[in-house]
Amino acid sequence: METEEIKVHIDNVIKKTFEVIQEVYNRQKENSDYSESKETSRIIFPHNRFDEKRISEQELRFVFVEQLNKEIANSNDWNVFYSVETPTKDTYRFSDTEEPRIDPNGRSGNFDLVIHDDNFKRIALIEFKANNPAPNEY
C-alpha cells in the first residue's frame, strides 16, 4: 500500500477519533444521566475523589483503537495490525531537563501505539498525551 493511502486511512481514524472523544467528553461523565452514545463509544470520563472529571490520554487511546478497528472493517484494502507500548529499536538516555538522546547504554522507550502493515512492518508511530505536555515529555 502506498504511503498516501496509509495517510488517508490514518487521517480518517484521527478525524473520527476527535469527533467521538469530543462527544464522549461533552456527554459521558461518571454520575451523568446521559447514556445514548452507543453508536460512538461506550467509554466514559470518570471522576476522581474530589468529584472532578479525570482526564488522561487513555480515553483517547481506547477511542482511537475503536475507530482504527472500524476503519479496518470498512476497508477492503487496508489490512493492518497494531501493537501497544511498543519498544523503540534504539536505546535512549532520558532526563527531566533535556530531550532524550540515543545512548547504547540507555533503555528503550515505548510508543503508545504502532500501526503495522500485513507483514508486521511499522508504518505509523502514535503517541497520546493529555493536557498539552512539554516536548521533552514525549
Side-chain angles (χ1 to χ4, degrees), residues 104-116:
N105 297 317
R107 63 179 177 87
S108 292
N110 287 313
F111 297 109
D112 288 343
L113 187 134
V114 175
I115 299 174
H116 303 261

Side-chain angles (χ1 to χ4, degrees), residues 26-114:
N26 288 338
R27 297 178 186 260
Q28 293 172 199
K29 303 168 190 89
E30 189 172 30
N31 302 326
S32 139
D33 60 0
Y34 183 84
S35 62
E36 297 181 23
S37 282
K38 293 179 182 130
E39 296 300 315
T40 57
S41 179
R42 311 249 336 144
I43 200 162
I44 66 168
F45 281 92
H47 286 184
N48 64 19
R49 63 190 171 120
F50 304 109
D51 203 31
E52 302 164 333
K53 189 176 355 177
R54 197 260 309 137
I55 299 172
S56 78
E57 68 268 10
Q58 298 307 318
E59 289 83 11
L60 184 61
R61 182 191 311 215
F62 279 86
V63 172
F64 184 93
V65 169
E66 289 172 344
Q67 298 312 310
L68 176 63
N69 283 323
K70 286 179 182 179
E71 181 77 12
I72 294 165
N74 293 331
S75 173
N76 293 327
D77 65 341
W78 203 41
N79 185 29
V80 297
F81 298 84
Y82 62 91
S83 58
V84 296
E85 295 299 323
T86 308
T88 59
K89 293 184 179 185
D90 289 324
T91 55
Y92 297 87
R93 172 86 41 209
F94 295 90
S95 164
D96 290 339
T97 58
E98 57 187 58
E99 291 189 28
R101 64 182 196 281
I102 293 177
D103 182 339
N105 297 317
R107 63 179 177 87
S108 292
N110 287 313
F111 297 109
D112 288 343
L113 187 134
V114 175

